[in-house]
Amino acid sequence: MSARTVQRLMMGFYVALFFGFLFGPLLVMAVTALNTAQYPQVLPFEGFTLDWFAVLLDDRNLVDGIRNSILIGIFVVLLSVPLGLAGAIVMTQIYARARSLYYLVVVSPVLTPGIIIGISTVIFWRDVADSIGSESVYDGLFLATLGQSTFISAYCMLIFLSRLQRFDPSQREAALDLGATHTQVFFHILLPFLKPAIFSAAVIAFLSSFENYNTTTFAILADKTLTTVLAGRVRQGTTPAISALAVLIIAITLAGAVLYEVLRRIEQRREQGRAQAAAMAERAEAAGGMAPAAALMSS
């Protein structure tokens, strides 16, 4: 056996071990969701069933937690993405000497423990509610949205900053020289350039909100989210209905990834088609301009 064969075998073993470590728990969870056993287990496999998915849908606490997590995630996206975009634009516009201090201030929520953010959010808005004499702002969903947005907006800002580093300022300067306003430059030049970053920031913001626990468990008050419900179930004892929920989340994630890839390839083909059409038009125009010149030379 040659050294090259041994190297290939070791590489194959490493790759198999890596993917087994990565996808093994997902496969185990899928099997437990289809097993008739009352406790999540793979062996012995007592029988195939889909009843745990029905049990999941009948669990009002889990359903309410999923609904609240989705609502909070949507509001966090609507709040964090504009804040992150504004923070990134300000970073590119302020003086270079002030950028280090500004960056430290806006990124500090990421370095702050989630427990501190959750508790400080509750205390601050408790005082606000007492000062204005209204309990409307002291709501679990509202506090969880604000608490999560304080650090998730920093994630969005970092995504926008990485995209803005490739932006050519001469495009903005040329548009302003031609009479465009700053608002027109923002909507017609900057936003189209930032479109991929906006989509990425929105996805990251929603997923970060959906899986957050440390900040949410203190800011949510009497309400519940998926993570807080699952944490309580783990302490009390789980059932295969939790595995069924995991299978649904994995299926939705895979479907979203496949859909995104399909749409991305369709967009790439359209762009390639536009580029080819433009190139053919340029060649045709060049050929049309050369024909009169050839006629003059022949005469």
Side-chain angles (χ1 to χ4, degrees):
M1 183 179 294
S2 63
R4 188 174 182 84
T5 303
V6 174
Q7 182 181 7
R8 289 181 177 178
L9 290 176
M10 292 300 296
M11 183 61 68
F13 173 75
Y14 172 77
V15 172
L17 187 64
F18 172 77
F19 282 103
F21 177 80
L22 188 64
F23 295 106
L26 303 182
L27 294 176
V28 170
M29 193 167 294
V31 173
T32 59
L34 303 176
N35 194 352
T36 57
Q38 297 296 316
Y39 185 80
Q41 64 182 28
V42 176
L43 296 175
F45 190 79
E46 299 180 0
F48 178 84
T49 183
L50 296 177
D51 293 341
W52 295 116
F53 292 92
V55 173
L56 172 64
L57 296 178
D58 292 335
D59 192 329
R60 298 310 310 167
N61 286 331
L62 274 177
V63 173
D64 292 341
I66 294 173
R67 184 195 64 214
N68 291 337
S69 294
I70 294 175
L71 288 176
I72 293 174
I74 293 174
F75 286 118
V76 167
V77 170
L78 296 177
L79 186 60
S80 298
V81 173
L83 287 176
L85 177 58
I89 293 176
V90 171
M91 172 71 79
T92 61
Q93 300 297 323
I94 61 176
Y95 293 106
R97 294 182 178 179
R99 288 178 184 173
S100 298
L101 178 60
Y102 175 80
Y103 182 82
L104 177 63
V105 172
V106 296
V107 178
S108 58
V110 177
L111 307 176
T112 305
I115 296 176
I116 296 178
I117 294 177
I119 295 176
S120 60
T121 301
V122 173
I123 294 175
F124 175 79
W125 288 100
R126 173 75 269 180
D127 294 339
V128 171
D130 292 339
S131 62
I132 64 177
S134 175
E135 295 291 333
S136 59
V137 298
Y138 198 68
D139 179 75
L141 299 182
F142 176 74
L143 296 180
T145 300
L146 294 182
Q148 293 179 9
S149 299
T150 54
F151 65 92
I152 294 178
S153 58
Y155 294 152
C156 299
M157 188 198 70
L158 296 176
I159 295 174
F160 288 124
L161 281 177
S162 64
R163 180 67 175 174
L164 286 173
Q165 289 177 352
R166 292 178 285 175
F167 180 70
D168 186 6
S170 61
Q171 298 182 25
R172 180 178 62 249
E173 296 172 359
L176 294 174
D177 291 339
L178 292 175
T181 63
H182 288 280
T183 304
Q184 291 174 332
V185 171
F186 176 77
F187 284 103
H188 296 286
I189 296 179
L190 190 59
L191 277 186
F193 177 79
L194 291 174
K195 183 178 178 181
I198 293 174
F199 177 79
S200 300
V203 173
I204 294 297
F206 182 82
L207 295 179
S208 299
S209 171
F210 194 83
E211 58 85 24
N212 181 262
Y213 175 75
N214 291 334
T215 301
T216 306
T217 190
F218 289 94
I220 198 64
L221 300 180
D223 293 320
K224 60 179 74 70
T225 63
L226 177 62
T227 54
T228 59
V229 173
L230 291 180
R233 293 295 175 84
V234 170
R235 290 192 293 265
Q236 299 172 2
T238 61
T239 65
I242 306 299
S243 300
L245 174 62
V247 171
L248 291 178
I249 293 176
I250 294 170
I252 293 173
T253 303
L254 292 177
V258 171
L259 179 61
Y260 171 75
E261 184 65 20
V262 171
L263 294 177
R264 187 181 65 84
R265 293 189 178 186
I266 292 176
E267 185 65 22
Q268 285 183 347
R269 291 176 182 176
R270 290 178 180 176
E271 292 179 356
Q272 292 176 357
R274 296 191 193 102
Q276 292 176 358
M280 293 178 60
E282 291 179 358
R283 288 195 297 266
E285 184 178 356
M290 292 174 60
L296 290 174
M297 292 177 62
S298 62
S299 61

